[in-house]
Amino acid sequence: MGQTHLRVPPSSIEGSALTNSTPADQPRRLPQPSGYILAAVAGVLGAVLLGAGIYLSYSKYQGERDRVLLDVAGQAQVVGARFDQFFRERFEYLDALAQSPLVQTGAPAEVKAYFERIAGRGSTFSGGLSLIGTDGQLILLSNYPLDSPPVNLADRDYVQAVLRTQQPYFGNAILGRATGDPLLTVAVPVRNDRGEVLRILAGTIRIDLPEGGLATIGAQLDSAVVLDGSGQVVVDRGTVRKPTPASPAFLEAVAAASESARTDSPGPDGVGTWIAGAAPVGNSAWRAVTLLDQQAAFADSRRALLLELGALLLVALLGALLTIGTARRLNRRTTLERAEAEQVRRREAFFHELADALPVVGGTLDTGLSTTFANRTLRAARTSQLLELLHPEDAETLRTAEGDADADSTFGLDIRLATGPRGADYRWHRLNLVPAPQLPGARWFFAATDIEDEKRAELGLQRDIQQRDEFLGLVSHELRNPLAAIIGNASMLTGRYAAELPKDAYESAEEIDLSARRLRRLVENMLVLSQAGNPESPPPIEPQLVPRLLGATQADFHARYPAHSLRLHLDPDLPVVLANETFVDQILWNLLTNAAKYGGETRMIDLTARRAGDAVEVSVADRGPGLAPDELDRVFDAHFRSRTARAQAEGLGLGLSVCRRLVEAQGGVIEARPTPGGGTTVSFTLPIAED
């Protein structure tokens, strides 16, 4: 069943009468929303998106603000913990002294001597150590003689606090009268084994921070402040300073910042606008405060918020302009589409008239090959569906061909179609399909022309060719055995009995041998032609080694033509090819025989094999008179003989025709070209076998 494909640009059928099943008098309705309605919808959607963008931008700004507040509050916790560590170390040192039996029950002189030894080793209590009774009476002071006038310290806050709570206590910062340094009194109870308070041990220390204490905190923020229980600033910007009362507004802000960091806080001196975070120093009334300049802290976030809001407003403005422009274009396009729909309707009406006037079966098909329009000829059949009229075998062939076809290519095939009202008999038709891209619902336009008479003539010709080939094969087969006997006997006469024969008898036997061999070659060519042309029995194609194929032919040629020089040229590492060994031998023998007959007096022939892309090219080159330019293409036609060949030797002109049939049967090509320096080169290709 024949099938052809032809690429046709869609523009070639522009304006043709292709249609689907829409009635000609029914206008095609294209629902098109108003462009201004779309603009209104887009405006609402844009407003929603703008609001969402503003909300997200502000949420991002608020999140950055909350992060800064949390960071400031966290830094206050760190400052409080570090300063609490400073107090804890002094408490632990003083508590260790209080647990000494000497301090608990020792005589004042012994205890004073003990305190002086500690001071000599570098005590942290630079203001001295004092031992006080539970009645508030001073027992001893390490910096004063024992015979000093008695002093009652019952009214001191640290004495009252320890006696009341029986827990360690440290007071507020004071300024040392002697050194001018900020000082702090720390007191712990001295207990016996039963936990009873026997005495009070107090010490005065200089408020000093270890290296790296608060300095790094102050560097990360704008200020780190420590307040004592009375609201005095003891540490500011990581540096111990003279105790100075903080402003009431600052103390109020610190009280509020103890819950969480707050904004709009004044500085310790009541000046500036700060972000403040506060945390307690251990269990004391002291407070650690961290400050960050509010304007600088939020400047980047505020600037980013303004930029994002500006960008959103700009995008909203551009979107509004684009929406208005799109609405106008939609209105214009709606008008154009309605005009195009009217044009399509008129084109469909024209197509109906034109298709109904066709004397062949015609119409349109959709992607499932269902008929969407049937012309008058098809409507006269028993059904207007093309697939239902096809022979079952041809219906499947049509589906396969349609699936393999390109979207913009026409194709055709021969099918059997049951036409007429009853559709009892199938007749051969040539079905051609053309893409119909402009038609909604239609994929192909088809036309089926009756070719029953031509098909019968073609089938008859094929039967005649088959019978001819069968006859040639039979005749050739029957002639091979007698020819073998003739050649064998003639060779015996010209060989073993040559000396016993008269000269004229020897010449006759030699002529018999040559003529019989020429006849055998003719028979073999006819037999090969009949076999190569039979599609039902294709030749076996197998992997072959090129050197082995050419070497065997070279040996036979030297034995048959000892006076000729055959030079073999092989590329190294030639790949394996796909070929029929018998066919290759026949091709080479025909080409070499022609080269020997028409190669001229030099009697030199070159046999070459080289790789050429995805094939191996084998060529035979002689040094004869060559072919005329107009004979190079015709030399492979059956029964064609060049002018030079007709003048030099007899023949039927089948050799090269046989070569072409055999080469093509193996998937190769053959050509003739002039040999550089004179002569003819005939080359053919064999495909390379896959790994």
Side-chain angles (χ1 to χ4, degrees):
M1 194 175 299
Q3 178 178 343
T4 59
H5 289 270
L6 177 65
R7 296 188 65 83
V8 177
S11 60
S12 63
I13 56 175
E14 183 73 31
S16 63
L18 305 180
T19 182
N20 60 9
S21 56
T22 304
D25 57 351
Q26 178 181 343
R28 188 179 304 276
R29 296 176 182 238
L30 296 176
Q32 294 290 343
S34 171
Y36 294 110
I37 295 178
L38 290 179
V41 173
V44 173
L45 181 60
V48 172
L49 293 177
L50 177 62
I54 293 175
Y55 173 76
L56 291 176
S57 297
Y58 183 76
S59 298
K60 179 180 176 182
Y61 167 76
Q62 191 67 28
E64 180 65 19
R65 181 179 180 275
D66 293 342
R67 186 195 65 79
V68 172
L69 294 177
L70 287 175
D71 185 58
V72 172
Q75 295 286 9
Q77 296 286 343
V78 174
V79 174
R82 291 190 179 179
F83 209 80
D84 179 55
Q85 181 182 3
F86 167 76
F87 285 137
R88 193 176 302 279
E89 291 173 354
R90 274 64 181 174
F91 274 129
E92 291 175 355
Y93 180 78
L94 199 61
D95 189 58
L97 290 178
Q99 296 178 17
S100 171
L102 180 62
V103 176
Q104 292 175 357
T105 59
E110 294 176 349
V111 177
K112 185 175 187 304
Y114 177 57
F115 286 169
E116 289 175 351
R117 287 196 303 270
I118 293 174
R121 293 196 299 266
S123 172
T124 57
F125 293 91
S126 58
L129 296 171
S130 58
L131 195 61
I132 307 167
T134 56
D135 57 355
Q137 191 67 33
L138 178 64
I139 300 174
L140 66 88
L141 183 60
S142 62
N143 295 340
Y144 290 87
L146 289 175
D147 55 356
S148 298
V151 178
N152 193 301
L153 302 177
D155 60 343
R156 300 297 175 91
D157 56 351
Y158 59 88
V159 175
Q160 294 177 0
V162 171
L163 292 175
R164 184 177 65 255
T165 63
Q166 296 189 3
Q167 297 294 328
Y169 172 82
F170 60 88
N172 296 321
I174 59 174
L175 190 63
R177 291 189 295 271
T179 62
D181 295 330
L183 302 177
L184 174 65
T185 300
V186 181
V188 298
V190 179
R191 305 174 188 272
N192 59 15
D193 295 339
R194 295 187 300 273
E196 298 173 346
V197 178
L198 303 176
R199 298 174 176 177
I200 298 173
L201 178 61
T204 303
I205 60 174
R206 188 171 72 87
I207 301 176
D208 193 10
L209 301 180
E211 183 178 355
L214 298 181
T216 55
I217 301 296
Q220 294 174 5
L221 301 170
D222 293 298
S223 180
V225 176
V226 177
L227 301 174
D228 66 6
S230 65
Q232 296 182 105
V233 178
V234 182
V235 178
D236 188 8
R237 300 181 185 274
T239 303
V240 179
R241 55 177 283 185
K242 175 184 176 181
T244 305
S247 67
F250 178 70
L251 295 177
E252 182 181 352
V254 169
S258 298
E259 300 293 334
S260 62
R262 59 163 293 175
T263 57
D264 301 326
S265 171
D269 54 1
V271 179
T273 303
W274 306 82
I275 302 172
V281 177
N283 296 324
S284 69
W286 290 50
R287 291 290 182 268
V289 184
T290 48
L291 299 174
L292 185 65
D293 187 283
Q294 182 169 313
Q295 294 297 327
F298 295 149
D300 292 340
S301 300
R302 191 178 297 107
R303 187 181 304 109
L305 175 63
L306 293 176
L307 288 176
E308 290 181 3
L309 292 178
L312 287 173
L313 292 175
L314 179 60
V315 170
L317 177 60
L318 292 177
L321 294 176
L322 290 175
T323 301
I324 294 174
T326 303
R328 292 178 177 176
R329 286 194 298 272
L330 282 175
N331 283 336
R332 287 196 298 269
R333 189 171 67 181
T334 300
T335 303
L336 291 175
E337 287 177 349
R338 288 173 178 170
E340 291 176 359
E342 178 63 21
Q343 184 179 4
V344 169
R345 189 193 66 79
R346 293 178 180 177
R347 191 184 305 158
E348 289 174 349
F350 172 75
F351 167 74
H352 284 186
E353 297 176 1
L354 179 63
D356 284 340
L358 292 176
V360 299
V361 173
T364 57
L365 302 174
D366 62 12
T367 54
L369 296 181
S370 296
T371 304
T372 57
F373 172 77
N375 71 347
R376 182 175 302 168
T377 305
L378 182 55
R379 292 197 299 271
R382 59 181 175 84
T383 177
S384 60
Q385 288 296 322
L386 179 67
L387 285 179
E388 297 179 9
L389 299 176
L390 286 177
H391 190 279
E393 297 177 359
D394 298 342
E396 186 62 29
T397 303
L398 175 59
R399 289 191 180 94
T400 303
E402 195 271 342
D404 297 338
D406 295 334
D408 56 349
S409 298
T410 67
F411 70 95
L413 66 163
D414 297 342
I415 49 94
R416 286 161 289 184
L417 197 64
T419 57
R422 291 179 298 173
D425 299 326
Y426 288 100
R427 293 181 62 83
W428 283 101
H429 287 71
R430 181 63 179 177
L431 178 65
N432 292 293
L433 288 91
V434 180
Q438 300 94 342
L439 301 178
R443 174 71 174 85
W444 303 99
F445 168 74
F446 71 91
T449 305
D450 191 309
I451 57 169
E452 179 71 18
D453 297 338
E454 292 86 345
K455 197 68 175 180
R456 288 184 178 181
E458 179 184 345
L459 294 176
L461 178 61
Q462 290 178 355
R463 286 194 297 269
D464 293 343
I465 294 175
Q466 182 178 1
Q467 292 174 358
R468 182 201 65 187
D469 291 341
E470 291 176 354
F471 174 75
L472 288 176
L474 178 63
V475 171
S476 300
H477 180 74
E478 294 299 328
L479 289 177
R480 292 176 72 179
N481 292 333
L483 284 174
I486 294 172
I487 293 172
N489 290 322
S491 298
M492 186 181 299
L493 291 174
T494 57
R496 182 186 303 177
Y497 301 108
E500 301 177 10
L501 293 176
K503 180 178 180 182
D504 56 347
Y506 176 82
E507 291 177 352
S508 297
E510 191 175 43
E511 181 65 24
I512 291 172
D513 182 47
L514 292 175
S515 298
R517 290 180 185 276
R518 186 165 58 251
L519 182 59
R520 184 178 65 178
R521 181 63 60 189
L522 176 62
V523 169
E524 290 177 351
N525 285 339
M526 293 171 62
L527 184 60
V528 168
L529 279 174
S530 64
Q531 293 176 347
N534 187 1
E536 297 182 357
S537 58
I541 306 299
E542 301 174 340
Q544 304 287 346
L545 296 174
V546 176
R548 188 179 69 81
L549 295 175
L550 272 58
T553 304
Q554 182 186 30
D556 293 343
F557 183 83
H558 281 313
R560 179 69 182 85
Y561 297 97
H564 287 73
S565 174
L566 177 60
R567 299 184 299 183
L568 184 61
H569 309 280
L570 299 176
D571 277 1
D573 301 327
L574 283 173
V576 177
V577 298
L578 293 175
N580 181 282
E581 183 177 0
T582 303
F583 282 10
V584 174
D585 179 70
Q586 185 76 18
I587 296 167
L588 290 173
W589 189 256
N590 283 353
L591 296 181
L592 291 173
T593 301
N594 283 350
K597 288 194 297 185
Y598 310 119
E601 299 180 355
T602 60
R603 298 188 175 184
M604 183 174 296
I605 303 172
D606 290 314
L607 178 58
T608 304
R610 67 181 186 87
R611 180 162 186 165
D614 57 355
V616 171
E617 182 187 75
V618 180
S619 59
V620 176
D622 61 40
R623 301 295 186 273
L627 297 171
D630 61 334
E631 296 175 334
L632 292 175
D633 293 332
R634 300 177 57 199
V635 74
F636 297 104
D637 296 340
H639 307 297
F640 175 80
R641 303 191 69 217
S642 67
R643 292 183 291 273
T644 303
R646 291 196 298 269
Q648 287 185 297
E650 298 179 356
L652 296 179
L654 292 178
L656 291 181
S657 176
V658 170
C659 290
R660 181 171 66 180
R661 294 281 294 275
L662 297 182
V663 169
E664 292 176 351
Q666 300 173 93
V669 294
I670 188 170
E671 65 175 2
R673 60 180 182 271
T675 301
T680 301
T681 298
V682 180
S683 62
F684 64 94
T685 61
L686 297 172
I688 296 175
E690 297 182 356
D691 295 337

